[in-house]
Amino acid sequence: MPAMPVLVIGIDPHWRARMQRLLAARGELDWLGAYAPAQPRQARPGCPDLLLLDGDDPRIDRERRRPWLPTPRRLYFYRHPDVNALLHCIAGRANACLDKLAPPALVLRAIRAAESDLFVTAPALLLQALHGADAALPPAPAGADLSMLTGRQREIVHWAARGMSNKQIARQLGISPETVKTHLHHVFERGGVHNRMGLLALQHDVADPAPSAPRIV
């Protein structure tokens, strides 16, 4: 199967560099390069099958309309993705609305999903869109003992509620997946929830810690 040609476009140099570090050496991708619309294009010739676009760049939609045939699939990245960004991506028939610091595994999952014309975003953002940006999340279940959560457990709730797997959280925090699983088991017991969607309600009632910043890969 031929490698998928991928091109990154956007004004944010740190995000472009991060995408290059993450994707340029992957054998299943044909890295065409990364450039800012205001600069001369520094990319290999070729027609991309997939565009990774800086959603914070006001010129990006004009730039992505280059006459590439067939039309590339598109993933949008934002510094602070919100419901308006999500609706823009959906209206434009893009394949993802992601945070610029999304975990590497999520970025790669979104790329694979785009090949099947699927759409990827964070669960919390999707819930905001479904219930309204200002709609309150349901309260934590009665009897939930949230005051006893440790700082580590609060960090794990933060990332699990945003769709990260146990392995991704483990890599994020520098602990083992089994440790993450054990912490989640205790959180589920104390919070009276049974799945990760329930963690969104818990997080609404738990003071959100300043979680460890996502690692730049």
Side-chain angles (χ1 to χ4, degrees), residues 4 23 29 50 52 75 106-115:
M4 177 191 293
L23 304 175
L29 302 176
L50 183 68
L52 275 60
L75 309 183
L106 181 57
V107 176
L108 296 173
R109 190 185 312 155
I111 290 174
R112 290 191 293 268
E115 294 183 84

Side-chain angles (χ1 to χ4, degrees), residues 14 17 98 121 126 157 196:
H14 301 292
L98 297 173
T121 193
L126 181 59
V157 167
R196 291 176 182 238

Side-chain angles (χ1 to χ4, degrees), residues 24-212:
R26 298 194 67 88
E28 72 271 28
L29 302 176
D30 179 14
W31 177 255
L32 297 181
Y35 71 97
Q39 301 170 349
R41 180 176 170 182
Q42 297 177 345
R44 289 197 296 108
C47 182
D49 285 348
L50 183 68
L51 296 176
L52 275 60
L53 302 172
D54 181 353
D56 298 318
D57 188 340
R59 296 161 295 188
I60 203 65
D61 281 323
R62 182 173 65 248
E63 184 69 15
R64 61 99 172 168
R65 292 192 181 99
R66 284 174 173 267
W68 284 305
L69 294 173
T71 302
R73 297 178 175 89
R74 289 165 287 118
L75 309 183
Y76 281 86
F77 292 78
Y78 298 84
R79 187 175 296 107
H80 301 294
D82 57 16
V83 172
N84 288 333
L86 176 61
L87 295 178
H88 174 268
C89 293
I90 293 173
R93 298 184 179 182
N95 290 94
C97 178
L98 297 173
D99 193 299
K100 285 181 176 177
L101 293 178
L106 181 57
V107 176
L108 296 173
R109 190 185 312 155
I111 290 174
R112 290 191 293 268
E115 294 183 84
S116 301
D117 286 325
L118 299 176
F119 186 88
V120 174
T121 193
L125 187 54
L126 181 59
L127 282 179
Q128 284 185 353
L130 290 174
H131 297 291
D134 298 321
L137 288 169
D145 183 10
L146 308 180
S147 63
M148 299 301 292
L149 294 186
T150 66
R152 177 65 82 196
Q153 288 168 348
R154 290 166 188 260
E155 284 186 308
I156 289 172
V157 167
H158 175 91
W159 294 118
R162 281 153 178 75
M164 290 177 67
S165 69
N166 288 1
K167 288 184 179 180
Q168 291 166 348
I169 296 171
R171 287 195 295 268
Q172 176 70 33
L173 301 180
I175 57 180
S176 73
E178 285 301 316
T179 300
V180 173
K181 183 178 179 180
T182 299
H183 279 307
L184 283 175
H185 176 72
H186 293 317
V187 171
F188 288 158
E189 282 187 338
R190 290 172 178 171
V193 298
H194 305 287
N195 54 47
R196 291 176 182 238
M197 283 299 182
L199 293 178
L200 288 169
L202 279 184
Q203 193 177 17
H204 182 66
D205 285 353
V206 174
D208 196 8
S212 304

